[in-house]
Amino acid sequence: MQPLRGTKDILPNEIRHWQKIYQVVNKILTHNNYQEVRTPILENTELFLRSIGNFTDIVNKEMYSFSDRGGRNITLRPEGTASIARALISNKLYLSSKINRLWYLGPMFRYERPQKGRQRQFHQLGIECIGSSMPRADIEVIRIAIKILKQLKLEEWRLEINSIGNLAERIKYTNHLKLYLNKYENDLDEDSQRRLKDNPLRILDSKNIKTQEILNYGPKLREYLEIESLKHFEEVCNDLSKLSINYYINDKLVRGLDYYNYTAFEIKTKGINEQNTICGGGRYDGLIKQLGGPYKPSVGWAMGLERLIIIMKEKLELVENKKVIYIANSNINNSDTIWQIVNTIDKYQLHFELDISNSSLNKQIKKANQIGSKICFIIGNDEILNKYITIKWLETGTQQKVPVCKIDNYIKYIKFSLKT
Ligand code: ATP
Ligand code: MG
């Protein structure tokens, strides 16, 4: 039996990275007043049709959609923002505060060709700052993304930023771009030819060299931005500089989803082939209203955790958490003492393993040594009969007999001695 193409088991040797990420982001986001939400993986297909946009890659060819037994059109969420916007509206979260700062982490689903850093079930961490149109909100979310990367010891990345203006500016620009590109239609790459009809803005994104050359002589989005858009962008750039966050203005950066306006940004790393974007985000002032909620200008981003972990694995040597105490025990009828010891070790939150192999005490002690435990508790027949535990410090070979009634104090001492 194999897992489905593009899906992957996350096994114990990798899970430590996932736990580390959760720990780090939970701490940072809590400090920054962001609250975690967990929305369902299943949503009505309509949610994504109405938010992401019909002519995007996601809606066009990547969604996992099906009808359920009740004939409803369901989609496995391909991204997080639409679900967060839906949750905000259906739970009326906007009534309790003017600004909602939310974050999420969970699996997303897109039917794509699996490659390194590209899966069909993958995970995103995302944050959404909902309810402010200030450039300061854009800076806040970007600053947090960078903070998370730094905390995870990821240093080689580049922040690319652009402004895609407001809808009116973009429509005007898109029309002119279309007129210009129509003249070169046959010279464009296949994807761009298709986009020329339904989503010309995305042509800017093309990796094709010839297409890029044609674009170089065409109309520039920046020239279509009016004073308000330009001011917003300038403020974002200025504040990034003030925060000493390096950025690179990429005139051709447009995001793959329809709902963005003003600021768009991506964080890219060197390497991992084409899949080098680890974080993508931007401002989406119209989305929540478009979905039937109140007007709530918002900004946010999403990070691909698989891509993050590929780099973390190369960088971060996580120290393996070794079992401190190994409990060797002989096959005795009365297991009261064993459970008493287990409960006590547990009380002091020490890492332990109870032997359940049914092999000889000697073999069990050998195992304790093999896995690098510090201490072996030995509970044999004599120990049970005379109510004591043999405690062997494996590094020095020192062995002591500790009466069961004193074991609590002894484990407390172990805990203390490990700290110092
Ligand atoms: P790409 O251009 O690589 O397909 P995208 O623009 O479709 O990315 P977004 O929708 O912006 O991606 O999602 C944000 C982040 O989620 C991406 O930057 C990436 O790190 C991650 N991501 C997106 N799709 C996948 C996937 N299929 N597998 C793994 N990670 C993904
Ligand atoms: Mg994609």
Side-chain angles (χ1 to χ4, degrees), residues 58 110 112 117-119 122 124 255 257 277-280 302-304 307:
I58 295 182
R110 295 184 195 177
E112 304 192 69
R118 190 179 295 287
Q119 295 174 194
F122 63 101
Q124 280 183 343
R255 307 263 311 128
L257 296 79
T277 305
I278 46 172
C279 178
M303 265 185 208
R307 294 186 193 176

Side-chain angles (χ1 to χ4, degrees), residues 75-108:
T75 293
L76 301 182
R77 62 178 184 197
E79 58 106 40
T81 304
S83 303
I84 295 286
R86 201 266 312 129
L88 181 102
I89 297 165
S90 37
N91 298 289
K92 296 198 170 61
L93 295 183
Y94 49 84
L95 290 181
S96 52
S97 60
K98 197 167 164 265
I99 308 280
N100 293 89
R101 291 180 164 96
L102 305 171
W103 71 276
Y104 60 87
L105 188 160
M108 306 293 160

Side-chain angles (χ1 to χ4, degrees), residues 118-305:
R118 190 179 295 287
Q119 295 174 194
R120 290 181 173 173
Q121 174 173 342
F122 63 101
H123 295 74
Q124 280 183 343
L125 158 72
I127 78 173
E128 316 290 356
C129 179
I130 299 167
S132 168
S133 59
M134 293 184 77
R136 207 154 290 154
D138 310 34
I139 299 291
E140 173 172 297
V141 299
I142 296 175
R143 194 190 74 88
I144 292 172
I146 307 282
K147 170 106 190 158
I148 289 171
L149 296 182
K150 284 196 172 150
Q151 196 86 31
L152 293 171
K153 309 249 183 313
L154 306 175
E155 269 130 25
E156 284 167 40
W157 43 260
R158 173 154 107 159
L159 168 66
E160 296 188 0
I161 183 162
N162 193 21
S163 175
I164 57 169
N166 62 31
L167 192 62
E169 291 157 351
R170 225 162 36 241
I171 290 176
K172 198 166 158 200
Y173 170 69
T174 307
N175 285 338
H176 286 185
L177 180 70
K178 217 168 162 173
L179 282 178
Y180 168 76
L181 288 176
N182 272 337
K183 291 186 278 187
Y184 303 95
E185 185 172 354
N186 294 331
D187 299 322
L188 298 175
D189 61 280
E190 216 175 288
D191 257 352
S192 298
Q193 286 184 12
R194 189 171 42 81
R195 283 178 171 152
L196 193 53
K197 292 188 191 68
D198 46 35
N199 197 355
L201 205 58
R202 279 304 300 277
I203 297 175
L204 297 184
D205 220 14
S206 166
K207 302 237 159 49
N208 186 282
I209 296 174
K210 199 158 178 206
T211 302
Q212 279 301 331
E213 259 171 36
I214 295 170
L215 284 168
N216 282 340
Y217 295 98
K220 301 279 177 293
L221 177 54
R222 182 70 34 78
E223 284 156 16
Y224 289 74
L225 301 190
E226 291 178 22
I227 192 87
E228 218 167 300
S229 294
L230 287 172
K231 221 175 121 225
H232 189 102
F233 189 53
E234 198 182 292
E235 248 183 276
V236 171
C237 293
N238 281 344
D239 276 15
L240 283 176
S241 302
K242 275 183 216 148
L243 281 167
S244 304
I245 296 173
N246 290 329
Y247 61 91
Y248 166 85
I249 296 177
N250 176 354
D251 290 324
K252 299 208 175 97
L253 191 146
V254 286
R255 307 263 311 128
L257 296 79
D258 266 4
Y259 53 62
Y260 286 108
N261 65 298
Y262 285 4
T263 317
F265 59 90
E266 289 189 346
I267 300 175
K268 295 180 177 165
T269 57
K270 296 169 191 151
I272 54 167
N273 315 322
E274 294 264 279
Q275 281 65 253
N276 63 349
T277 305
I278 46 172
C279 178
R283 183 162 269 291
Y284 53 97
D285 292 344
L287 177 67
I288 290 166
K289 187 150 195 237
Q290 186 183 316
L291 290 174
Y295 175 64
K296 287 278 167 189
S298 308
V299 57
W301 50 253
M303 265 185 208
L305 295 188

